[in-house]
């Protein structure tokens, strides 16, 4: 059952159905994806920041359920052998204050957000020189190849599609990639900005150091959307708080994983503590033994806690 179905009673639906945000969004806009896809895990997307307040009676219990129960993650059993960690990935989601979120952007507004963020990414040079590619300017075959290799994103997520997040794709969408390849940014995918740092091996602290440098530089010129109660605000409530997700790409077929580590990893996944995504993204199938392993519940947790928790998953030889 989705969190939407769990928390939207008929009575609450009636109460909230008359409300609109300053941008004119109503409850139907927020719940469209979850209604269309009853197999949603969450089922809501915020079309703007104000949705979190206007529809707080729905978002608050959803956010509550997206936090780990106290103590749940205090001592996760080590279940990943460092030798089996192909790479570490940290990604951070941000939206610009004063703009609707991607589900609520018009074509023109999306292009304005794109321009602003593309400029900001290019200004990371000389420390992080890189290149912006506007998806709408790429030849179809090149774009298809970039999507296939996860260097770009396509309009292929049915949950986001139902929320309106893929409207006008590829207009207003860009990707940034640093020259050395460790840093990338997606503009106007699920959030205005998704920054990712990927480094080889198990190295959450080093990855985070680079991410901090990048985010400090970006924050000095951009106003990111958030508030003291929630932290950073994102399209999907599952990212609210730090907006950060830390994961290891794990070769589950590696010899060092066989036996107790893999059994412990699968038990944590079955218990809903860990999420093992396919190598190509959240809804991608797992193939070839490669899995992207991260904690499922991240809402409201500090960056330090997220880093400590993922490091605690490593089996110390
Ligand atoms: C769902 O409710 O299952 C989808 N809307 C995805 C929820 C996970 N959130 C995300 O990927 N940001």
């Amino acid at each position: 059952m989705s969190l939407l179905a769990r928390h939207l009673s008929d009575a609450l639906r009636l109460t909230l159905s008359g409300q609109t945000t300053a941008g004119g969004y109503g409850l139907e806009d927020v719940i469209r994806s979850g209604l269309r896809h009853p197999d949603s895990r969450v089922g809501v997307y915020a079309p703007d920041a104000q949705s979190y307040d206007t529809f707080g009676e729905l978002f608050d219990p959803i956010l509550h359920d997206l936090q780990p129960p106290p103590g749940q993650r205090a001592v996760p059993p080590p279940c990943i052998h460092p030798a089996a960690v192909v790479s570490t990935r940290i990604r951070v989601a941000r939206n610009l204050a004063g703009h609707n979120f991607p589900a609520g952007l018009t074509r023109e507004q999306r292009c304005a957000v794109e321009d602003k963020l593309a400029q900001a990414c290019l200004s990371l040079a000389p420390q992080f020189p890189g290149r912006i590619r506007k998806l709408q300017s790429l030849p179809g075959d090149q774009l298809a190849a970039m999507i296939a290799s996860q260097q770009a994103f396509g309009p292929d997520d049915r949950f986001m599609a139902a929320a309106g997040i893929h409207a006008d794709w590829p207009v207003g969408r860009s990707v940034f990639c640093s020259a050395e390849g460790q840093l990338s940014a997606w503009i106007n995918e699920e959030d205005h900005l998704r920054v990712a740092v990927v480094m080889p091996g198990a190295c959450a602290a080093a990855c985070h150091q680079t991410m901090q440098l990048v985010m400090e530089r970006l924050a000095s010129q951009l106003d990111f959307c958030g508030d003291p109660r929630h932290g950073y605000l994102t399209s999907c409530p599952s990212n609210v708080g730090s907006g950060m997700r830390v994961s290891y790409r794990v070769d589950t077929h590696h010899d060092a994983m066989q036996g107790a580590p893999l059994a412990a990893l699968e038990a944590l996944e079955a218990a809903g503590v860990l999420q093992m995504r396919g190598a190509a993204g959240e809804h991608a199938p797992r193939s070839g033994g490669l899995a992207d392993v991260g904690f499922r519940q991240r809402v409201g947790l500090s960056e330090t806690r997220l880093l400590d928790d993922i490091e605690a998953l490593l089996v110390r030889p």
Side-chain angles (χ1 to χ4, degrees), residues 286-298:
R286 270 167 57 201
S287 62
L290 275 188
D292 178 280
V293 182
F295 283 93
R296 187 178 278 281
Q297 291 161 311
R298 308 175 296 274

Side-chain angles (χ1 to χ4, degrees), residues 33 40-43 45 159 190 194 236 238-239 282-283:
S33 180
S40 294
R41 187 167 65 84
V42 181
Y45 288 97
F159 302 99
E190 182 176 308
R194 289 285 182 103
C236 177
S238 64
N239 295 310
E282 173 156 27
H283 303 293

